[in-house]
Amino acid sequence: MSKKICVIGTGYVGLIAAVGLADFGNEVIASDVDERKIEGLKQGRVPFYEPGIQGYLERNVNSGRLSFTTDQGRGIRRAEVVFIAVGTPGQEDGQADLSLVEQVVEIIAANLNAYKVIVCKSTVPIGTNRKIKNRLKALLKAADREAEFDVVSNPEFLREGRGVYDFFHPDRTVLGCESERSRQVMTDVYRTLNLISTPFVWCNPETAELIKYASNAFLAAKITFINQMANLAEAAGADIHVIAKAMGMDGRISPKFLHPGPGYGGSCFPKDTQALVKTGEAWGVDMSLIRTVIEANEEQKMRMVRKFTGLLGGDLTNKTAAVLGLTFKSETDDIRESPAIKIVAALLKAGARVQAHDPQGMANFSRLFPEVKCCQDEFEALAGADGVLLLTEWNEYRSLDLHKAGNVMREKIILDTRNLLDPREVRAWGFVYQGVGRGEAPAGQ
Ligand code: UDX
């Protein structure tokens, strides 16, 4: 049976969940305190870049299954299931900021007019779902009201740029839930996924919360592992791509997430690894592996700066650096924790001028770095440059016109931090080229 659902928060996670749950046949009200965002959504405007979401938004709004409101209370009162999908940004000390979740819990308590399942999709530290349950109980008691509810932890594993696909084709759906009644409700909500045989992992809320952190920390560690192997391969004259391919042939390792680069970024890995270290400290459990991953990832970004500086003769004063790619990965306009932020800051500090291009990320980037010249296309960014850093794996950079690039650059130097280009071809066009982990055997051996 389809359900009446309210999704609170129309950011990346909330909006994709809202359109996806509506597409499953549920009746969904998505709410947000941001009036402009809700007004835009009512008119069919998605507030971020994400391939594929527009069509699903239009289809479900037109069918009447999806609507938007700023009146969170009304949305909650009408719903049988309330999804919490507000942000939990990292704070200075690494801990997740739960103030938005706490505010939403107060609003839910005030509008709990019948049995509801409260589903937490936001990434929250271990123990938070139980705290939500206890807080709701306390708020109801203080107001001298009685209402039944269950709290379910349902972490998301969406990849930006592929979020819509991932919503409809998850590797697994994790549900931390403790009552048969809420289990039945969640089975109805995700009935469509059940039909396509998506594995469901039923567990307690603490397990669900830790599955999310453990998965992200593992992937962050895997990337960091291959980055360090790439650095070693580079020094020793080995080829990291052959190494990664051969490693990936071992079914226990898998070839995914073994692509070296300038360090991971984004809204999840950096924040979640930091939070996991903090959680370990709180429980008195050693998280030294994850701490090392965080440090090594920062070092990887600085390594790119040192490599580029070396390629340009050791001094960036008054040099012009072209930067292609500003977002933390392709197919998104998100620059949160993008390696480009630390790398560009270091280039500027070393006295370089920076000319940049990104297909989606320039508006966000120029708010942080007004001194960076954002260019209409890659060739404007390359014009007069003493070297170029390729920082994001946008497809259009893979097929960069090297002849044209060479003609507009002052010096033909490329640091390809994503290994997008074919080194032999680039060198054949007269460029000095370096990738990551693409070592060459020592001469004469
Ligand atoms: C990630 C998780 O994949 C997702 O399950 C979770 O819910 C949120 O965090 P996302 O941040 O969108 O998703 O990006 P992802 O594609 O996982 O990449 C994260 C970072 O790692 C990017 O900066 C990417 O460039 C980098 N990366 C990824 C590598 O450097 N090498 C790889 O092999 C894979």
Side-chain angles (χ1 to χ4, degrees):
M1 230 179 61
S2 66
K3 294 285 165 207
K4 287 194 172 69
I5 295 174
C6 174
V7 177
I8 302 182
T10 57
Y12 189 78
V13 172
L15 189 58
I16 293 180
V19 298
L21 291 166
D23 213 70
F24 287 165
N26 298 295
E27 197 182 304
V28 180
I29 300 182
S31 77
D32 204 295
V33 285
D34 187 334
E35 288 177 15
R36 274 182 43 198
K37 212 188 239 183
I38 290 296
E39 207 36 57
L41 283 164
K42 282 182 178 168
Q43 291 165 20
R45 278 201 307 277
V46 178
F48 47 81
Y49 175 75
E50 179 66 25
I53 194 167
Q54 190 71 38
Y56 281 100
L57 175 69
E58 284 164 17
R59 180 159 99 192
N60 289 289
V61 167
N62 291 342
S63 73
R65 284 193 300 267
L66 176 61
S67 60
F68 295 96
T69 183
T70 49
D71 186 348
Q72 300 188 317
R74 187 178 72 90
I76 294 164
R77 286 192 300 277
R78 288 170 52 106
E80 298 160 274
V81 187
V82 180
F83 277 81
I84 302 175
V86 292
T88 52
Q91 302 180 103
E92 282 282 292
D93 66 357
Q95 292 195 61
D97 176 356
L98 294 177
S99 54
L100 291 177
V101 173
E102 285 159 8
Q103 282 170 30
V104 168
V105 170
E106 306 268 329
I107 301 170
I108 293 173
N111 291 281
L112 210 56
N113 55 349
Y115 173 73
K116 293 180 202 296
V117 177
I118 318 302
V119 186
C120 186
K121 264 217 165 293
S122 305
T123 301
V124 290
I126 307 167
T128 305
N129 276 270
R130 205 166 294 282
K131 282 190 189 144
I132 293 175
K133 184 174 167 182
N134 292 336
R135 179 74 184 140
L136 279 170
K137 274 190 195 160
L139 287 166
L140 289 170
K141 192 163 176 223
D144 204 15
R145 287 174 44 227
E146 278 188 21
E148 287 185 291
F149 68 89
D150 277 305
V151 175
V152 171
S153 167
N154 175 212
E156 58 80 22
F157 300 95
L158 309 178
R159 290 164 297 177
E160 289 188 27
R162 300 240 184 145
V164 177
Y165 177 87
D166 285 350
F167 189 87
F168 291 109
H169 305 90
D171 290 333
R172 76 302 209 188
T173 296
V174 174
L175 291 150
C177 104
E178 291 183 305
S179 79
E180 192 46 44
R181 193 174 181 186
S182 58
R183 184 176 172 141
Q184 196 49 54
V185 171
M186 294 314 291
T187 305
D188 283 343
V189 166
Y190 285 124
R191 197 186 60 246
T192 316
L193 293 182
N194 241 330
L195 295 177
I196 58 166
S197 303
T198 300
F200 278 63
V201 180
W202 300 96
C203 52
N204 71 18
E206 286 75 12
T207 307
E209 290 162 342
L210 189 49
I211 288 172
K212 168 73 187 215
Y213 281 105
S215 302
N216 277 354
F218 183 84
L219 292 172
K222 198 171 178 190
I223 296 167
T224 305
F225 178 90
I226 204 67
N227 282 342
Q228 288 200 337
M229 287 306 133
N231 300 342
L232 186 55
E234 201 171 280
D239 182 340
I240 196 64
H241 288 289
V242 181
I243 295 167
K245 195 172 167 192
M247 282 175 66
M249 287 168 183
D250 184 329
R252 295 168 301 176
I253 296 176
S254 123
K256 292 180 185 164
F257 273 70
L258 283 181
H259 196 89
Y264 60 77
S267 64
C268 288
F269 291 171
K271 165 172 84 79
D272 293 352
T273 44
Q274 296 268 9
L276 196 53
V277 168
K278 282 284 154 193
T279 305
E281 280 170 13
W283 289 95
V285 176
D286 177 33
M287 287 288 130
S288 51
L289 174 65
I290 308 306
R291 235 187 353 258
T292 303
V293 165
I294 296 168
E295 282 166 18
N297 195 55
E298 288 307 305
E299 163 59 17
Q300 188 71 2
K301 299 177 204 170
M302 289 307 117
R303 185 179 164 89
M304 298 305 123
V305 176
R306 289 197 301 275
K307 276 174 69 132
F308 187 69
T309 309
L311 281 169
L312 267 67
D315 184 7
L316 295 181
T317 319
N318 292 325
K319 294 276 168 66
T320 299
V323 172
L324 296 186
L326 300 169
T327 53
F328 79 99
K329 65 177 199 177
S330 63
E331 298 304 329
T332 178
D333 60 356
D334 199 341
I335 61 157
R336 279 177 289 176
E337 297 291 333
S338 173
I341 294 177
K342 289 266 170 70
I343 293 173
V344 166
L347 298 177
L348 291 169
K349 192 162 172 240
R353 280 182 301 273
V354 177
Q355 305 181 162
H357 174 261
D358 187 283
Q360 295 293 339
M362 288 197 297
N364 286 332
F365 203 81
S366 59
R367 273 193 282 277
L368 276 188
F369 290 98
E371 64 273 57
V372 167
K373 183 180 172 202
C374 284
C375 302
Q376 289 305 312
D377 60 36
E378 47 272 55
F379 299 105
E380 191 186 331
L382 293 171
D386 295 287
V388 53
L389 276 129
L390 276 167
L391 292 185
T392 315
E393 73 284 18
W394 287 100
N395 268 336
E396 57 200 86
Y397 301 149
R398 289 180 204 274
S399 51
L400 187 70
D401 182 336
L402 293 165
H403 179 58
K404 201 167 161 189
N407 280 343
V408 298
M409 291 178 74
R410 223 161 68 88
E411 299 288 341
K412 292 164 85 170
I413 295 172
I414 297 188
L415 176 60
D416 178 5
T417 71
R418 300 278 185 172
N419 293 350
L420 302 180
L421 306 174
D422 177 349
R424 272 169 313 182
E425 194 192 341
V426 183
R427 289 185 183 126
W429 282 105
F431 284 86
V432 173
Y433 174 89
Q434 266 189 33
V436 175
R438 299 174 129 178
E440 282 163 79
Q445 290 179 42

